[in-house]
Amino acid sequence: MDAVLERKSVRDHWLKDFPTISEEEIIGFAKLINDTNPLHHDAEKAKAIGLQGIIAPGVMFIGFISSTIAEEVPGIVLLDLNIGFENPLYAGSRPTVQCTVLQRKRRVVKVAVA
């Protein structure tokens, strides 16, 4: 995933570790945003399609990314964000977001996020 940021200086590489996510936090987040997808609420339905259990909504995942970027680059102007989800984020997982600068041009920085 790549993000294009606007700022004068950014480290070339940084990461942020988050606490382990509980099933209750995933369900609570999904309810908060009115996400009715059963994959975020119902472990049996998630398992019925081959998942290990409920998974975090994509927008929750994006929140971890946003927090990581904003911590390093306060007040950023996000010009572009391309996201591809490779794996689900399950309860019991401990997310880590890693950012690497790919390119700098004036005040625009292209960052890869993993």
Side-chain angles (χ1 to χ4, degrees):
M1 142 180 9
D2 295 338
V4 179
L5 313 175
E6 187 173 326
R7 183 176 182 224
K8 290 183 181 179
S9 66
V10 174
R11 290 187 287 169
D12 287 336
H13 182 78
W14 70 97
L15 62 87
K16 183 175 181 180
D17 292 313
F18 291 87
T20 302
I21 304 167
S22 71
E23 189 170 283
E24 293 78 21
E25 289 169 320
I26 291 174
I27 292 168
F29 185 89
K31 286 181 180 179
L32 179 68
I33 63 170
N34 294 318
D35 186 330
T36 59
N37 184 335
L39 300 181
H40 310 309
H41 300 274
D42 188 328
E44 293 308 313
K45 288 187 180 177
K47 289 176 183 177
I49 66 158
L51 296 171
Q52 298 170 10
I54 66 166
I55 59 173
V59 72
M60 187 177 192
F61 207 109
I62 293 167
F64 293 120
I65 294 166
S66 175
S67 170
T68 302
I69 292 172
E71 188 172 286
E72 174 67 19
V73 193
I76 75 157
V77 175
L78 184 60
L79 302 175
D80 186 29
L81 182 62
N82 299 305
I83 298 175
F85 297 103
E86 294 180 17
N87 297 299
L89 185 58
Y90 290 104
S93 298
R94 186 166 183 218
T96 298
V97 177
Q98 173 180 297
C99 298
T100 304
V101 173
L102 299 176
Q103 180 182 10
R104 297 172 194 262
K105 185 175 181 182
R106 297 185 195 159
R107 292 178 25 136
V108 175
V109 180
K110 184 174 183 181
V111 177
V113 180

